[in-house]
Amino acid sequence: MRFVLDAEQRLFGETLDKLLTEAAVAGVARDWAAGRHGPGLALWRSLAAAGVLALAVPESAGGAGPLPVELVTAFHELGRHGVPGPYAETVAASVLLGRLPGDSSSAAWLPAIADGTAVVSLALPPAVPYALDADVAGLVLTVDGGELRAAVPGEARTSLDPARRLFAITPGEVIAEDATAATAEGYDMGALMCAAQLVGLGRRLLEVSVDHARTRRQFGRPIGEFQAVRHHLANALVGLEYARPLVYGAALSYGTPDFATDVSAAKVSAAEAAYTAARIALQVHGAIGYTDEYDPSLLIRKARALHSAWGSPAAHRARVMSALAH
Amino acid sequence: MNIVVCVKQVPDTATERKLRSDDKTLDRDAADGVVNELDEYAVEEALRLKEAHGGEVTVLSMGPAKATETIRKALAMGADKAVHLSDDALRGSDALSTSYALAETLKKIGFDLVILGSESTDARTGVLAAMLAERLGTPQLTLANKVEVDGSAIAIQRVTDYGYDKVEASLPAVVSVVEKINEPRYPSFKGIMAAKKKPVETLAIGDAEISADQVGLASAWSEVVDFAAAPPRAAGTVVKDEGDGGVKAAEFLASKKFV
């Protein structure tokens, strides 16, 4: 199995990194958390123009996909920059809707997803109990007893990450009667996107922590010269380096019977690695790490929220366990 | 309109750039190669002109095999095809011989308009556009922050210290652009994948009828005699205000000939 990205995939990732660096995402995330969606939706359109939202939409519906490796590459960058919005949800919905029969009315949403005009959110209880950012979504989906239904968003809930705005939903009109297989695939893809975001998020937290350890001086020297600080940073790196190949490996097993299990393994290790990186980042930064005005605090909170989004580590461990037992 | 954009691969300005100790040329292995930033504006301007007036955009790059990454990026932005001038004999060429090699190649591939970034982040000579125009016998329109083409007429706004000059000429011509001219597009995923299939013609000096005795380090008119790391910045002077701070500040400014 070849884990090395090709030249095109690398250029795609670098392009997104540059686009997001120039977009100054921390400010966009703060606006998003405060209910000012304008800049976040403008960024959504830029990312759609770069091709991100077409990657999970089938070619027959105006997309380019599904291309799991390119999706993981893109979501790694979305995670690294802490981009707010229901991106994983829209990708999961693209895969789900793409698996329905072509004459289904909901399939008409796919071209609009691909070109960035449609934002979709969904709730797939029990693993995904609330619909993320349902108030900006043109379409909210849920699955109830194997039936795919439009969902009616209700009350907003608070998340550990203020830029994740969660909505309770009630199932509405039936869209497709038997969506069990499509839902399973959509869920797995959503969990994989979440795992890729977590690895990117952990990476960025490690980068800012290393920078801090190099510049912050205490007892007459940079704190990075203290071995205990270095050990912490090395532990964060080791976790992320173990998680990354699992995430890309799961992307490569899309379409095989191992996909669900590989996604679960990837999600567990990415969640634990990013959460470890977040705790270490907090400790290395000292009190400034949980200062609201300081950008890494946005990422630290997102790491904790994504840790249990798209299925908790325990739920994913249970899936790996049951696959091993068979 | 047949537009040729010259792009150069340069070492990433975000990393430490080095010269080789043996022949004092750029150490290309010491840093990642990236597209010279101003050349991205040149590619963008070429694409906009093509979108407005039709025609074709060809990327021309002189550089080692590694420069294909830079060519691919320009193709991913939307250029139609590329010519890669690559030959060991070109290594170490200075501005004069680079302009000669590029001019010979341009004569061979043909052009109505040549667009370049106004300088590269590594050599920073900023003379290539003028040299190319001279060698090609065409008008030079440099430091443009606006380009307008109407039939065979071309007009630019040339940035100056006091504002801008309006410069007009007729095609074929050579234009160099500054960063105020536009906002370069990001290559889209579709563009990146399409670039894989676009033709890249690799030329050696013989293919472009470039004579070996006019290029390369041995033929360079300029020579790097020595180089050293920039000295670390010295600590500034601290003036303690004891009622005479204003006078001391004025004296300092006068000593630097500011007042």
Side-chain angles (χ1 to χ4, degrees):
Chain A
M1 202 175 276
R2 194 172 152 77
F3 285 135
V4 182
L5 296 179
D6 65 27
E8 283 73 30
Q9 289 159 342
R10 283 200 308 274
L11 178 56
F12 183 50
E14 285 161 17
T15 301
L16 295 177
D17 180 34
K18 198 171 166 199
L19 188 161
L20 292 169
T21 302
E22 281 171 27
V25 179
V28 175
R30 287 201 171 86
D31 277 345
W32 191 269
R36 292 187 295 271
H37 294 122
L41 291 173
L43 185 56
W44 186 283
R45 290 187 292 274
S46 304
L47 287 164
V52 172
L53 277 321
L55 295 173
V57 174
E59 282 185 46
S60 56
L67 294 170
V69 177
E70 283 75 5
L71 279 165
V72 163
T73 305
F75 273 73
H76 183 269
E77 293 307 319
L78 296 184
R80 259 188 82 229
H81 291 270
V83 178
Y87 288 90
E89 289 69 18
T90 298
V91 162
S94 305
V95 170
L96 200 168
L97 294 172
R99 293 272 288 182
L100 297 178
D103 56 349
S104 152
S105 63
S106 52
W109 282 88
L110 288 169
I113 291 174
D115 70 19
T117 46
V119 177
V120 184
S121 186
L122 47 68
L124 301 173
V128 186
Y130 302 112
L132 180 67
D133 301 312
D135 56 342
V136 297
L139 175 68
V140 184
L141 300 170
T142 190
V143 173
D144 191 21
E147 286 177 335
L148 178 66
R149 288 168 177 266
V152 184
E155 210 181 312
R157 306 268 178 142
T158 54
S159 163
L160 293 164
D161 172 9
R164 281 175 60 83
R165 306 168 63 258
L166 302 173
F167 289 81
I169 53 108
T170 40
E173 165 198 355
V174 176
I175 294 172
E177 282 175 1
D178 182 15
T180 311
T183 305
E185 198 176 312
Y187 169 70
D188 290 339
M189 193 61 99
L192 178 59
M193 295 305 103
C194 185
Q197 274 177 288
L198 279 159
V199 172
L201 194 53
R203 261 280 156 191
R204 172 52 61 89
L205 282 165
L206 179 59
E207 288 162 12
V208 296
S209 301
V210 168
D211 281 349
H212 187 74
R214 281 199 176 120
T215 47
R216 169 75 175 147
R217 296 176 71 86
Q218 219 25 286
F219 307 104
R221 66 185 74 174
I223 59 168
E225 285 185 13
F226 295 104
Q227 207 177 28
V229 174
R230 291 183 180 192
H231 281 165
H232 265 333
L233 296 170
N235 286 340
L237 178 67
V238 168
L240 292 164
E241 283 299 294
Y242 271 105
R244 193 164 54 110
L246 287 178
V247 172
Y248 281 98
L252 286 173
S253 78
Y254 176 76
T256 73
D258 295 334
F259 184 55
T261 314
D262 288 353
V263 167
S264 281
K267 176 65 171 59
V268 170
S269 61
E272 303 293 23
Y275 186 52
T276 302
R279 292 187 62 100
I280 288 171
L282 187 55
Q283 201 166 357
V284 168
H285 280 82
I288 197 176
Y290 49 86
T291 308
D292 234 357
E293 292 79 1
Y294 190 55
D295 291 347
S297 72
L298 302 173
L299 303 179
I300 290 171
R301 291 209 256 181
K302 193 179 285 297
R304 183 62 189 89
L306 293 183
H307 180 259
S308 48
W310 288 94
S312 65
H316 284 291
R317 275 203 179 89
R319 279 216 312 187
V320 176
M321 179 67 154
S322 87
L324 289 175
H326 278 87
Chain B
M1 186 164 42
N2 183 3
I3 307 170
V4 180
V5 193
C6 296
V7 299
K8 182 181 186 185
Q9 186 175 54
V10 295
D12 193 343
T13 49
T15 58
E16 194 192 347
R17 291 168 288 173
K18 288 180 184 155
L19 296 181
R20 287 161 55 136
S21 53
D22 53 356
D23 63 3
K24 303 188 180 73
T25 61
L26 177 66
D27 186 350
R28 291 181 193 271
D29 297 327
D32 286 339
V34 298
V35 186
N36 178 43
E37 198 184 340
L38 275 167
D39 298 349
E40 290 187 28
Y41 294 81
V43 173
E44 177 64 33
E45 198 58 25
L47 295 174
R48 288 184 189 196
L49 288 170
K50 178 197 154 180
E51 282 154 14
H53 303 283
E56 196 175 47
V57 175
T58 306
V59 175
L60 170 59
S61 187
M62 172 174 138
K66 194 179 156 191
T68 44
E69 295 159 22
T70 289
I71 291 171
R72 287 283 166 212
K73 175 147 191 215
L75 291 173
M77 286 174 75
D80 300 288
K81 60 189 175 68
V83 175
H84 183 185
L85 180 60
S86 188
D87 200 307
D88 288 343
L90 293 164
R91 209 181 71 80
S93 292
D94 63 359
L96 265 176
S97 36
T98 300
S99 68
Y100 160 71
L102 287 176
E104 291 305 302
T105 312
L106 282 162
K107 283 180 202 161
K108 187 177 155 57
I109 64 179
F111 62 93
D112 296 317
L113 180 60
V114 180
I115 309 184
L116 306 85
S118 54
E119 67 175 37
S120 60
T121 54
D122 55 354
R124 300 207 59 186
T125 58
V127 293
L128 204 66
M131 287 181 172
L132 266 184
E134 188 62 28
R135 289 192 186 273
L136 294 167
T138 66
Q140 53 159 309
L141 302 96
T142 53
L143 303 174
N145 70 358
K146 189 176 178 183
V147 177
E148 279 173 335
V149 173
D150 184 7
S152 66
I154 179 164
I156 68 150
Q157 285 185 7
R158 183 180 200 276
V159 176
T160 63
D161 291 341
Y162 45 84
Y164 65 84
D165 290 332
K166 191 165 180 191
V167 184
E168 295 176 344
S170 57
L171 299 176
V174 176
V175 169
S176 77
V177 302
V178 298
E179 76 279 3
K180 288 184 195 77
I181 194 164
N182 57 41
E183 191 64 51
R185 67 195 65 187
Y186 296 103
S188 70
F189 180 68
K190 237 184 226 178
I192 291 169
M193 296 313 285
K196 267 173 95 164
K197 300 192 184 94
K198 290 178 177 171
V200 179
E201 189 186 356
T202 305
L203 301 180
I205 56 169
D207 302 321
E209 289 165 49
I210 294 164
S211 60
D213 59 3
Q214 291 193 51
V215 293
L217 189 59
S219 314
W221 283 67
S222 54
E223 186 190 350
V224 178
V225 179
D226 199 6
F227 63 90
R233 201 183 300 178
T237 313
V238 177
V239 176
K240 198 173 175 196
D241 183 14
E242 287 160 340
D244 57 353
V247 176
K248 282 182 178 161
E251 279 169 358
F252 172 76
L253 289 172
S255 76
K256 301 286 176 196
K257 299 194 165 55
F258 280 114
V259 290

